[in-house]
Amino acid sequence: MASVELRNIRKSYGAHGVIHGVSLSVPDGEFIALVGPSGCGKSTLLRMIAGLEEITEGEIAIGGIVVNGMTPRERNIAMVFQSYALYPHMTVAENMGFNLKLAGETKPAIAARVAEAARMLDLTALLDRKPSQLSGGQRQRVAMGRAVVRNPAVFLFDEPLSNLDAKLRVQMRSEIKTLHQKVGTTSIYVTHDQIEAMTLADRIVVLNQGKVEQEGTPIELYKKPANLFVAAFIGSPAMNLLEGIIDGEQGQPAARLSDGTAIRIAPDRKVRPGQAITVGLRPEHFNPAGNGGTALAGQTLLVEPTGAQTHVVFDLAGQPVTAVVDGEFPARYGARFEASVSIDQVHVFDRGTGLAL
């Protein structure tokens, strides 16, 4: 196992820059997720760590050793890709042990390490099968097993679950997390799915246009987003964002929306009267009307039952706002929807800078 250190990493293709001075420290044994929209640079960053992309500027250190000039093989990393990249003519055991064979390991050593990885990933009964005889989830486990048998210093995952259906994605998330808990190898995981990142990672790094917007634990990013971009990206359904102006009396500030609705905000927020702000309300923070906080109401535009919960979209200040309520909540299309939001769960952002206040 080893730590990973990125020091002012930059990447350009000609005059076009795609990574702009990213610095990041990943301690030994940590599971970190790089998230962001398509084109933000997360896969490029991962490929530079792996040695598959040249670095335009900066340093990458693995285990305290600068690896800029090293080949991927010399960096002692293992990478799991979106595509399984299995050899169709080889059995599961042969696929898992192929890199060890190339490295000159003895047959007994290869067999022992393959057997151990197969036990960890529940592949023992499949070792004699060919990839064509496996399901998508089983193929991805074989790809992970091929990485595990190498006993690398660092695992790199590049959107490994993108090709799986919804049920298999949930299952494989659990298996990846269990694998990390068993082996404790430093892991860097790239995904555009923030739910994957929040359920898997010890720490999340949110990237946007080649820069780090915020890094922290999943709960830190959820509860205290640093800016509008992180607030909108983290959380599902996404945070509701409404524009308003600060007013209020007797030390109790409020955000006044375009229709006159006043949403009270915590007095410790660093706001001033007349300031243009954006209010953030998470869908799951809406409570039944009369439970205190700020009362909000509007015409119901859409009702989406999901079982234990119901997603209700209602009109507020001329904008569709999503609320997640109890599944038995009596919501009906076209009817008046009434709810409230606690003062300490109202997020406030400066409209000009996008920074949290």
Side-chain angles (χ1 to χ4, degrees):
M1 294 186 289
S3 62
V4 178
E5 190 85 22
L6 277 62
R7 302 165 187 155
N8 195 32
I9 297 298
R10 297 180 184 273
K11 176 64 177 178
S12 299
Y13 296 101
H16 178 63
V18 293
I19 301 293
H20 308 283
V22 170
S23 293
L24 183 65
S25 180
V26 185
D28 185 9
E30 186 177 40
F31 194 121
I32 192 167
L34 306 179
V35 301
S38 296
C40 71
K42 54 189 185 294
S43 289
T44 300
L45 201 59
L46 194 77
R47 289 172 63 84
M48 287 194 289
I49 296 171
L52 302 175
E53 290 273 1
E54 290 187 3
I55 304 167
T56 303
E57 185 179 319
E59 287 184 341
I60 294 177
I62 298 177
I65 300 171
V66 175
V67 298
N68 289 34
M70 292 186 182
T71 65
R73 184 174 181 177
E74 292 171 331
R75 298 185 186 200
N76 192 22
I77 53 93
M79 197 162 183
V80 180
F81 297 93
Q82 179 178 343
S83 61
Y84 316 125
L86 302 178
Y87 295 106
H89 63 288
M90 294 183 181
T91 64
V92 167
E94 290 168 341
N95 266 284
M96 290 172 62
F98 186 64
N99 287 328
L100 298 179
K101 182 179 179 180
L102 290 180
E105 292 283 351
T106 64
K107 288 185 178 181
I110 294 173
R113 286 164 70 172
V114 167
E116 174 62 15
R119 184 191 62 78
M120 291 171 57
L121 293 166
D122 195 22
L123 291 171
T124 303
L126 307 177
L127 289 175
D128 293 328
R129 294 190 188 181
K130 299 285 181 66
S132 61
Q133 300 172 299
L134 306 177
S135 68
Q138 290 169 337
R139 292 180 194 181
Q140 192 57 273
R141 291 212 305 273
V142 175
M144 289 168 54
R146 182 177 54 195
V148 169
V149 296
R150 294 181 55 197
N151 193 25
V154 180
F155 280 125
L156 303 178
F157 296 89
D158 191 6
E159 304 202 45
L161 308 185
S162 295
N163 290 337
L164 306 180
D165 61 38
K167 185 177 180 180
L168 274 177
R169 286 173 75 101
V170 174
Q171 178 186 337
M172 288 302 300
R173 284 207 308 258
S174 299
E175 294 190 11
I176 290 173
K177 189 152 192 171
T178 300
L179 173 64
H180 181 259
Q181 290 170 343
K182 286 180 179 178
V183 302
T185 303
T186 307
S187 300
I188 302 176
Y189 189 101
V190 161
T191 178
H192 64 276
D193 186 334
Q194 46 94 11
I195 297 298
E196 269 182 32
M198 294 186 75
T199 54
L200 284 171
D202 301 318
R203 189 159 50 103
I204 297 174
V205 178
V206 181
L207 292 167
N208 182 32
Q209 297 182 348
K211 296 180 181 179
V212 175
E213 293 283 352
Q214 187 177 357
E215 61 178 276
T217 65
I219 197 66
E220 286 172 348
L221 269 61
Y222 176 81
K223 287 190 171 182
K224 295 182 178 180
N227 53 45
L228 279 169
F229 180 85
V230 177
F233 192 84
I234 297 295
S236 180
M239 180 184 284
N240 300 292
L241 300 174
L242 301 160
E243 293 186 352
I245 301 294
I246 292 295
D247 67 6
E249 298 177 354
Q250 300 178 348
Q252 177 59 67
R256 185 76 61 181
L257 306 185
S258 60
D259 67 346
T261 299
I263 300 178
R264 290 185 295 149
I265 61 179
D268 61 347
R269 301 287 186 179
K270 297 178 181 179
V271 296
R272 62 183 185 279
Q275 184 176 3
I277 53 92
T278 298
V279 175
L281 305 174
R282 290 211 179 274
E284 54 273 23
H285 288 164
F286 284 87
N287 302 307
N291 280 24
T294 297
L296 301 172
Q299 182 184 21
T300 301
L301 305 175
L302 180 67
V303 178
E304 296 181 316
T306 64
Q309 297 176 325
T310 296
H311 295 190
V312 179
V313 181
F314 69 101
D315 179 84
L316 181 61
Q319 296 185 52
V321 170
T322 300
V324 176
V325 296
D326 185 89
E328 298 182 0
F329 190 93
R332 183 169 53 86
Y333 171 76
R336 183 176 172 82
F337 177 81
E338 296 181 348
S340 64
V341 176
S342 174
I343 189 173
D344 59 352
Q345 292 180 327
V346 177
H347 298 264
V348 184
F349 306 90
D350 182 86
R351 201 187 307 172
T353 65
L355 297 177
L357 300 171

